């Protein structure tokens, strides 16, 4: 299968590309820059120049592919509406190129769109008041394309996709602990976040491409919920810092933009995903991955 991959040179995309190639697929990777193009060529992929800001380039890439995996996203927390608009336009461009073909379109969302306070399943309705509500409209657009002859599916990734090279939430917590001198959590720290290793996530994207039924919502959560206090304790141990609780009122001062996400209790099940796709995560969990030490070596040299 010739697979068009947006975000192919990113943290997750750079794991998805070799996963696809090793399974016998041919990858056409979206590249915005010359550096990204060089990385794709080195990984064994073909290059398609374009960007999320150019829906016509996305349509063209999808039109010559047997399937699409859409990973690219503008992670600008200072302007979430703009990020949503760009993603919506991207999904529409990709889907329109595949309409009536029954070819697969796999779109990325996040489990943070799901209702908080209980273990969310793939069949639950996303919560419009969730911290990631800006991702709901694009994922619903993608799922709706099942009625237009697209084998569309959505992979809702855990907020903590971890592994070597991670620059997301967990790396931010390590950096905040270093800068403030404490490894903190909010309240009791019992609130739970799902987690998945980037290599397990990459396998799920391939399986979704190959097997997911049209209109499927899937959860990329190898662990349904890791207590944030447990994460803080590992960080504190590795950095030799005190582990402390901060109140919800003081969370913004401690964590900045991350505070709005970090206090959420958002566990998520992937039981249906595993049953539908045969996905079986095999890589280390979040706490074990933190204990490997690479997050702290990266912070020390940043």
């Amino acid at each position: 299968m010739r697979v068009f991959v947006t975000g192919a040179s990113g943290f997750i995309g750079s794991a998805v590309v070799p996963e696809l190639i090793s399974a016998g697929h041919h990858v056409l990777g979206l590249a915005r820059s010359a550096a990204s193009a060089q990385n794709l060529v080195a990984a064994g992929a073909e290059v398609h120049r374009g960007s999320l800001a150019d829906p016509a380039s996305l349509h063209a890439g999808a039109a010559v592919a047997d399937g699409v995996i859409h990973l690219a996203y503008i992670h600008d927390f200072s302007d979430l509406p703009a990020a949503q608009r760009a993603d919506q336009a991207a999904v529409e461009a990709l889907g329109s190129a595949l309409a009536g073909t029954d070819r697969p379109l796999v779109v990325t969302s996040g489990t943070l769109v799901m209702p908080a306070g209980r273990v969310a399943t793939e069949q639950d309705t996303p919560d419009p008041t969730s911290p990631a509500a800006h991702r709901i409209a694009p994922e619903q657009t993608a799922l709706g394309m099942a009625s237009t002859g697209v084998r569309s599916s959505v992979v809702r990734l855990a907020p903590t996709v971890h592994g070597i090279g991670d620059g997301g939430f967990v790396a931010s917590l390590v950096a905040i602990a270093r800068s403030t001198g404490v490894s903190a959590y909010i309240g009791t720290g019992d609130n739970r976040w799902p987690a998945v290793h980037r290599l397990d996530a990459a396998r799920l994207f391939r399986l979704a491409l190959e097997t997911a039924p049209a209109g499927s919502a899937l959860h990329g959560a190898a662990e349904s919920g890791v207590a944030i206090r447990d994460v803080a304790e590992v960080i504190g141990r590795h950095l030799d810092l005190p582990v402390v609780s901060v109140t919800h009122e003081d969370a913004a001062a401690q964590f900045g933009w991350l505070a709005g996400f970090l206090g959420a209790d958002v566990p998520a099940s992937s039981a249906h995903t595993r049953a539908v796709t045969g996905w079986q995560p095999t890589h280390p969990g979040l706490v074990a991955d933190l204990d490997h030490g690479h997050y702290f070596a990266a912070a020390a040299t940043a």
Side-chain angles (χ1 to χ4, degrees):
M1 189 183 299
R2 191 181 196 212
V3 187
F4 180 45
V5 181
T6 74
S9 59
F11 174 59
I12 299 171
S14 60
V16 169
V17 169
E19 174 71 27
L20 291 170
I21 292 174
S22 66
H25 299 295
H26 178 85
V27 174
L28 176 65
L30 180 71
R32 184 179 60 181
S33 67
S36 293
Q38 290 174 356
N39 290 337
L40 288 172
V41 170
E46 183 183 351
V47 174
H48 177 81
R49 293 302 293 266
S51 73
L52 287 187
D54 181 9
S57 71
L58 303 179
H59 186 280
V64 297
D66 300 310
V68 176
I69 296 177
H70 175 44
L71 296 164
Y73 197 82
I74 301 172
H75 293 282
D76 181 0
F77 292 100
S78 68
D79 194 353
L80 293 178
Q84 181 188 48
R85 289 192 299 271
D87 196 40
Q88 180 74 22
V91 170
E92 291 172 356
L94 296 167
S96 65
L98 301 177
T101 67
D102 291 322
R103 294 174 183 172
L105 169 63
V106 185
V107 168
T108 309
S109 184
T111 61
L112 279 178
V113 304
M114 304 308 289
R118 58 182 176 83
V119 180
T121 72
E122 295 88 338
Q123 292 80 21
D124 288 335
T125 301
D127 178 5
T129 67
S130 71
H134 55 282
R135 304 214 67 160
I136 295 176
E139 79 159 52
Q140 293 303 305
T141 296
L143 294 175
M145 289 173 177
S147 65
T148 69
V150 180
R151 184 163 62 80
S152 58
S153 62
V154 169
V155 174
R156 296 177 182 137
L157 286 173
T160 45
V161 181
H162 56 90
I164 294 174
D166 175 20
F169 287 140
V170 176
S172 295
L173 287 175
V174 173
I176 290 168
R178 281 188 177 276
S179 66
T180 63
V182 297
S183 180
Y185 54 87
I186 301 172
T188 64
D190 291 332
N191 59 299
R192 301 154 291 174
W193 276 21
V196 63
H197 195 282
R198 67 187 285 262
L199 299 180
D200 286 322
R203 185 176 300 113
L204 177 56
F205 276 102
R206 174 178 64 80
L207 291 171
L209 177 86
E210 295 172 345
T211 68
S216 299
L218 307 172
H219 282 181
E223 297 175 281
S224 65
V226 180
I228 296 299
R229 184 180 62 246
D230 293 343
V231 175
E233 288 174 349
V234 178
I235 293 172
R237 183 170 70 251
H238 277 266
L239 298 181
D240 194 25
L241 295 174
V243 179
V244 303
S245 168
V246 299
T247 66
H248 287 273
E249 292 75 15
D250 293 335
Q254 176 69 24
F255 297 108
W257 63 268
L258 189 53
F261 297 91
L262 193 62
D265 182 41
V266 286
S269 169
S270 61
H272 177 71
T273 297
R274 299 180 195 220
V276 168
T277 66
W279 182 54
Q280 290 297 330
T282 60
H283 290 86
L286 175 57
V287 169
D289 198 19
L290 276 164
D291 262 331
H292 284 169
H294 58 87
Y295 276 95
F296 310 101
T301 58

